[in-house]
Amino acid sequence: MPGVISLAGGIPSSELFDREGLSIATQKVVAENFNDAFQYGLTEGTVELRQQLVGLCQERGITTSPEQLLITSGSQQALDLLMRALVNPGDVFVVERPTYLAALQILSLNEADVKSVGSDEHGMIVDELEALLKTTRIKGVYLVPTFGNPSGTTLSASRREQLVKLAEQYHFVIVEDDPYGAISFTETREKTLLQVATERGSQENVVYTSTFSKILAPGLRVGWIVLPEWMKQKVAIIKQATDLHANSFTQSLVSAYLTLDRLNPQIELIREVYKKKCLSLSTFLHQELDEHITFNQPQGGMFLWASFRYEFDATRWLQQTLEKGVVYVPGEFFFSDHADKKTLRFSYATATEEQLYEAVQRLKSAL
Amino acid sequence: MPGVISLAGGIPSSELFDREGLSIATQKVVAENFNDAFQYGLTEGTVELRQQLVGLCQERGITTSPEQLLITSGSQQALDLLMRALVNPGDVFVVERPTYLAALQILSLNEADVKSVGSDEHGMIVDELEALLKTTRIKGVYLVPTFGNPSGTTLSASRREQLVKLAEQYHFVIVEDDPYGAISFTETREKTLLQVATERGSQENVVYTSTFSKILAPGLRVGWIVLPEWMKQKVAIIKQATDLHANSFTQSLVSAYLTLDRLNPQIELIREVYKKKCLSLSTFLHQELDEHITFNQPQGGMFLWASFRYEFDATRWLQQTLEKGVVYVPGEFFFSDHADKKTLRFSYATATEEQLYEAVQRLKSAL
């Protein structure tokens, strides 16, 4: 709607797209890799891109090989393939409260019995999971452990260790969804769950997935999965039946882009800009709405998860804020159960500083 | 393998790709539609491409609207989405004998109870379906009615009418998979099943799907579904959970290509070249293997379906032909049951005339 400022979308800022780099990469594809880019390809993805991803994973502390990697149409498809491979109807899958909305949709589509455990400023409360495990056989745990969507929080090192140990003890799979991990506002990095597990020799319990959507461009629809040995064949069979293979053209495009050595500078730019926007939104919220709203300061990613300090219906409030010209996502949509209606998710990725300021003014006027 | 001539693959010839047109279209995307091409898009596909597809469908005798269309990652994904929407475990779905291999994989993945009916030179034997319907409740029928894969045959006009009437009488869904319909070697065109149904007012019984894979380039992964009203929402929800939306970049690329008015000339080129190759392969087979092998002359598409005139194991024979340096796909893989082991599928799309000649010589020497 014209004039409405959206803090709702989970989309990255188009203004930060590396227009020059992506243009050069596109030209390279057409000039140097035409036939492969327009022809059918391998189910697992191109060998070139998988080789490059081994290096990219290494930068994230993950040691893998092209044979363990499968390229997907974004990490959304990674989740769909994984849940189709893992979940039989009625299997218990555990998510965080709150959790990524589309993961709930996929779990529901696969008829999982979804259970949730709470989270706080250090991410999933793994003690709650441990209590659940004493009474319930679970197939797996799905989480976004770093700069989570919607919570913006990061699972602490001790909880990572605890979660990985529980997976060893109770034999469940951890699906580690990491679209935002590279977009850190500090130099502190938690190890991925896959790295923690690998160091303990239990890497077969963790499936890691990530994507170029938030660090390069989502329209490319290129994500990837690092698969444990026992899942490789099953996931590949499902991938083939689902859509044969990921887009040849945009896989080539990403490969060409990676050869330009522009990805890390591009990620630096995104980190810097999102950090600035996040700090601005935080500052404006503190200044204007501190008596009403509380939140944890995000250390990375695209989302600020806020909560009213008192009982409040954030879903109904959206009507009023819309009239004032600002929208967000009501928090209750991110819960599989025990919805907390006083919560709400703000994205700071696409709005300008001026819009963020104006948005907070409008929120205030809607109270 | 070096030196081995493959008549096995179902892939189109890269040499026919419209290199100039696709290059121009790619440049147009980067120059004129950059942000949309790299950003997230609509679940149903871009409005521009869906509007263009309305025109393309019209050329095929199908009247539709952008609201009825959903863009998929190739028609393989169309089948997956449709079967996920339609099939509950145990539902009976009927296929032809032989049928498209990957359709069997999808039906199996969705736990359909697959039943098959025979086919002859006029396509599916609809009388057999009618007999089955008297005893069995079926959810749907899947077929490639025009220049089928693997059979190369086309369902006759009277059988089309008969099939559509049965769907009305017994309330099942027809999934009409049409990747090859445009690649006709003659000026004769059968009406699509969707058109036949529409003329009878029963278009709600038919789902039509097609793709740019065989007429433009498969690496683009752009296909589409014409959805009846009652399926639209369900399929869109599944599409969103599956991978959010089709590739933004290659949707834009196809749209840009379509504005160049090069698609129809490109299809003419493909028709002409494949027709020539098909005639050559047919001639060589008649000349060299007539006493062993029989087949129906394809009138379009990419495949020639042959059968030994006597009991024969075409799967075992592959070992011997491989030693002689030629491969094909054994027919038995295309059957859900009652496999006919003396059948085999040849593709003539990618081999040169010389290779087709040499391939037949090698087949002969392997007997």
Side-chain angles (χ1 to χ4, degrees):
Chain A
M1 264 165 291
V4 173
I5 299 169
S6 176
L7 307 180
I11 69 174
S13 173
S14 307
E15 289 179 13
L16 297 183
F17 288 163
D18 180 5
R19 186 179 273 263
E20 184 181 81
L22 289 165
S23 300
I24 295 168
T26 305
Q27 284 160 22
K28 273 173 76 86
V29 170
V30 172
E32 297 168 19
N33 203 20
F34 189 92
N35 278 0
D36 287 346
F38 286 100
Q39 188 53 281
Y40 284 118
L42 298 173
T43 298
E44 291 81 0
T46 69
V47 174
E48 184 184 12
L49 182 53
R50 283 184 287 142
Q51 282 169 342
Q52 292 168 316
L53 282 171
V54 169
L56 195 150
C57 283
Q58 194 63 58
E59 294 178 23
R60 298 183 182 186
I62 294 167
T63 303
T64 186
S65 68
E67 293 70 35
Q68 280 182 269
L69 289 163
L70 185 136
I71 314 287
T72 61
S73 298
S75 60
Q76 182 71 24
Q77 190 188 46
L79 299 185
D80 185 50
L81 296 174
L82 291 172
M83 294 313 173
R84 285 174 93 166
L86 288 169
V87 176
N88 292 311
D91 281 353
V92 175
F93 232 91
V94 177
V95 300
E96 301 167 275
R97 242 184 357 253
T99 189
Y100 175 49
L101 181 59
L104 291 178
Q105 290 166 337
I106 291 169
L107 287 165
S108 151
L109 207 59
N110 286 287
E111 299 178 54
D113 179 4
V114 179
K115 305 233 182 266
S116 68
V117 302
S119 65
D120 59 21
E121 68 271 29
H122 304 297
M124 177 181 272
I125 301 170
V126 183
D127 282 344
E128 280 190 27
L129 174 67
E130 188 161 10
L132 180 67
L133 283 161
K134 296 209 164 108
T135 60
T136 309
R137 169 94 191 91
I138 75 163
K139 177 59 81 69
V141 171
Y142 165 80
L143 76 173
V144 184
T146 309
F147 317 135
N149 176 7
S151 71
T153 54
T154 293
L155 194 67
S156 66
S158 61
R159 287 188 185 174
R160 285 174 194 245
E161 191 90 7
Q162 186 187 4
L163 176 60
V164 166
K165 282 183 185 168
L166 286 177
E168 295 164 12
Q169 190 180 347
Y170 290 94
H171 307 289
F172 60 83
V173 183
I174 298 168
V175 176
E176 177 174 26
D177 186 8
D178 187 28
Y180 311 105
I183 307 173
S184 175
F185 301 157
T186 70
E187 296 310 312
T188 311
R189 295 286 171 96
E190 293 298 341
K191 290 177 185 172
T192 63
L193 292 165
L194 180 53
Q195 185 182 355
V196 173
T198 303
E199 288 170 3
R200 295 180 50 84
S202 65
Q203 63 274 13
E204 292 295 303
N205 295 332
V206 181
V207 193
Y208 175 90
T209 175
S210 189
T211 174
F212 287 98
S213 291
K214 307 304 192 293
I215 56 176
L216 186 56
L220 301 166
R221 310 309 299 129
V222 178
W224 70 94
I225 318 178
V226 183
L227 287 162
E229 192 61 34
W230 60 276
M231 287 188 73
K232 274 167 54 177
Q233 196 184 3
K234 185 157 192 191
V235 173
I237 287 170
I238 296 171
K239 173 65 182 166
Q240 185 171 39
T242 301
D243 62 0
L244 299 182
H245 59 80
N247 198 285
S248 307
F249 190 94
T250 57
Q251 285 186 82
S252 288
L253 207 167
V254 172
S255 276
Y257 184 84
L258 291 175
T259 63
L260 302 177
D261 285 331
R262 297 174 73 117
L263 183 64
N264 283 335
Q266 174 63 15
I267 292 173
E268 289 307 309
L269 173 70
I270 291 169
R271 289 171 63 186
E272 189 185 314
V273 174
Y274 286 3
K275 178 183 180 177
K276 195 145 169 272
K277 289 185 181 188
C278 178
L279 282 174
S280 297
L281 177 61
S282 309
T283 304
F284 302 147
L285 287 171
H286 279 308
Q287 280 170 359
E288 303 293 336
L289 293 168
D290 213 29
E291 59 186 309
H292 303 286
I293 282 175
T294 178
F295 59 91
N296 297 311
Q297 188 65 39
Q299 301 299 313
M302 293 167 50
F303 303 108
L304 186 149
W305 179 250
S307 175
F308 275 84
R309 293 183 182 275
Y310 41 81
E311 286 310 304
F312 193 84
D313 187 335
T315 306
R316 287 182 64 179
W317 191 44
L318 188 59
Q319 274 304 322
Q320 286 154 269
T321 67
L322 179 59
E323 276 171 31
K324 299 291 183 183
V326 59
V327 293
Y328 55 86
V329 183
E332 67 167 319
F333 298 128
F334 300 99
F335 291 84
S336 62
D337 51 21
H338 301 95
D340 183 352
K341 298 197 86 162
K342 66 180 185 295
T343 57
L344 57 179
R345 188 193 78 176
F346 298 124
S347 165
Y348 42 80
T350 48
T352 62
E353 303 265 330
E354 293 69 27
Q355 287 172 327
L356 289 170
Y357 178 78
E358 179 60 25
V360 173
Q361 297 299 326
R362 292 180 186 180
L363 287 172
K364 190 177 180 184
S365 73
L367 276 172
Chain B
M1 267 164 290
V4 173
I5 300 170
S6 176
L7 306 180
I11 71 174
S13 172
S14 307
E15 290 180 11
L16 297 182
F17 288 163
D18 180 4
R19 186 178 273 264
E20 183 180 81
L22 289 166
S23 300
I24 295 169
T26 305
Q27 284 159 24
K28 274 174 72 87
V29 170
V30 172
E32 297 168 18
N33 204 20
F34 189 92
N35 278 0
D36 287 346
F38 287 99
Q39 189 53 281
Y40 284 119
L42 297 174
T43 297
E44 291 82 0
T46 69
V47 174
E48 184 184 11
L49 182 53
R50 283 185 286 143
Q51 282 169 343
Q52 292 168 316
L53 282 171
V54 169
L56 195 151
C57 284
Q58 194 63 58
E59 293 177 23
R60 299 183 181 186
I62 294 166
T63 303
T64 186
S65 67
E67 293 70 35
Q68 281 183 265
L69 290 163
L70 185 136
I71 315 289
T72 61
S73 298
S75 61
Q76 183 70 24
Q77 190 188 46
L79 300 184
D80 185 50
L81 296 175
L82 291 172
M83 295 313 174
R84 285 175 95 166
L86 286 170
V87 176
N88 292 311
D91 281 352
V92 175
F93 231 92
V94 177
V95 300
E96 301 167 274
R97 242 186 355 254
T99 190
Y100 174 50
L101 180 59
L104 291 178
Q105 291 166 337
I106 291 169
L107 286 165
S108 151
L109 207 60
N110 286 287
E111 299 178 54
D113 179 5
V114 178
K115 305 230 182 270
S116 67
V117 301
S119 64
D120 60 20
E121 68 272 28
H122 304 298
M124 176 181 272
I125 301 171
V126 183
D127 282 345
E128 280 191 26
L129 175 67
E130 187 159 11
L132 180 68
L133 282 162
K134 294 207 165 110
T135 60
T136 309
R137 170 91 191 93
I138 75 162
K139 179 59 81 69
V141 171
Y142 166 79
L143 76 173
V144 183
T146 308
F147 318 134
N149 177 6
S151 71
T153 54
T154 294
L155 194 67
S156 67
S158 61
R159 288 188 184 174
R160 284 174 195 247
E161 191 89 8
Q162 187 187 4
L163 177 60
V164 166
K165 280 183 186 167
L166 286 177
E168 294 165 11
Q169 192 180 344
Y170 290 94
H171 307 290
F172 60 82
V173 183
I174 299 168
V175 175
E176 177 174 27
D177 186 7
D178 187 30
Y180 311 104
I183 308 173
S184 175
F185 301 156
T186 71
E187 296 310 313
T188 311
R189 295 287 170 95
E190 294 297 342
K191 289 176 185 172
T192 64
L193 292 165
L194 180 52
Q195 185 182 354
V196 173
T198 304
E199 288 171 2
R200 295 180 50 83
S202 65
Q203 63 274 13
E204 293 294 303
N205 295 332
V206 181
V207 193
Y208 175 90
T209 175
S210 190
T211 173
F212 287 98
S213 291
K214 307 304 191 293
I215 56 175
L216 187 57
L220 299 166
R221 311 308 301 128
V222 178
W224 70 94
I225 318 177
V226 184
L227 287 162
E229 192 61 34
W230 60 277
M231 286 188 74
K232 274 167 52 178
Q233 196 184 2
K234 187 158 190 189
V235 173
I237 287 170
I238 295 170
K239 173 66 181 166
Q240 184 170 42
T242 300
D243 60 1
L244 299 182
H245 59 79
N247 199 284
S248 307
F249 190 95
T250 58
Q251 285 187 80
S252 286
L253 207 166
V254 172
S255 276
Y257 185 85
L258 292 175
T259 62
L260 303 177
D261 285 330
R262 295 174 73 117
L263 183 64
N264 284 334
Q266 174 62 15
I267 292 173
E268 289 308 309
L269 173 70
I270 291 168
R271 289 172 61 188
E272 189 185 315
V273 174
Y274 286 3
K275 179 182 180 178
K276 196 148 169 269
K277 290 185 180 188
C278 178
L279 283 173
S280 298
L281 177 61
S282 309
T283 304
F284 303 146
L285 286 172
H286 280 306
Q287 280 169 2
E288 304 293 337
L289 294 167
D290 213 30
E291 59 186 308
H292 303 286
I293 280 176
T294 177
F295 61 91
N296 298 310
Q297 189 64 42
Q299 302 300 311
M302 294 167 48
F303 303 108
L304 187 148
W305 179 250
S307 175
F308 275 83
R309 292 183 183 276
Y310 40 81
E311 285 311 303
F312 193 84
D313 187 336
T315 305
R316 287 182 64 177
W317 191 44
L318 188 59
Q319 273 304 324
Q320 287 155 267
T321 67
L322 179 59
E323 278 171 30
K324 299 290 182 185
V326 58
V327 293
Y328 55 85
V329 183
E332 69 167 318
F333 299 128
F334 299 100
F335 291 84
S336 62
D337 50 20
H338 301 94
D340 184 350
K341 297 197 90 164
K342 66 180 186 296
T343 56
L344 55 179
R345 190 193 76 175
F346 297 125
S347 167
Y348 43 78
T350 47
T352 64
E353 303 264 330
E354 294 68 28
Q355 287 173 327
L356 290 170
Y357 178 78
E358 179 60 26
V360 173
Q361 298 299 325
R362 292 180 186 180
L363 287 172
K364 191 178 180 184
S365 73
L367 274 172

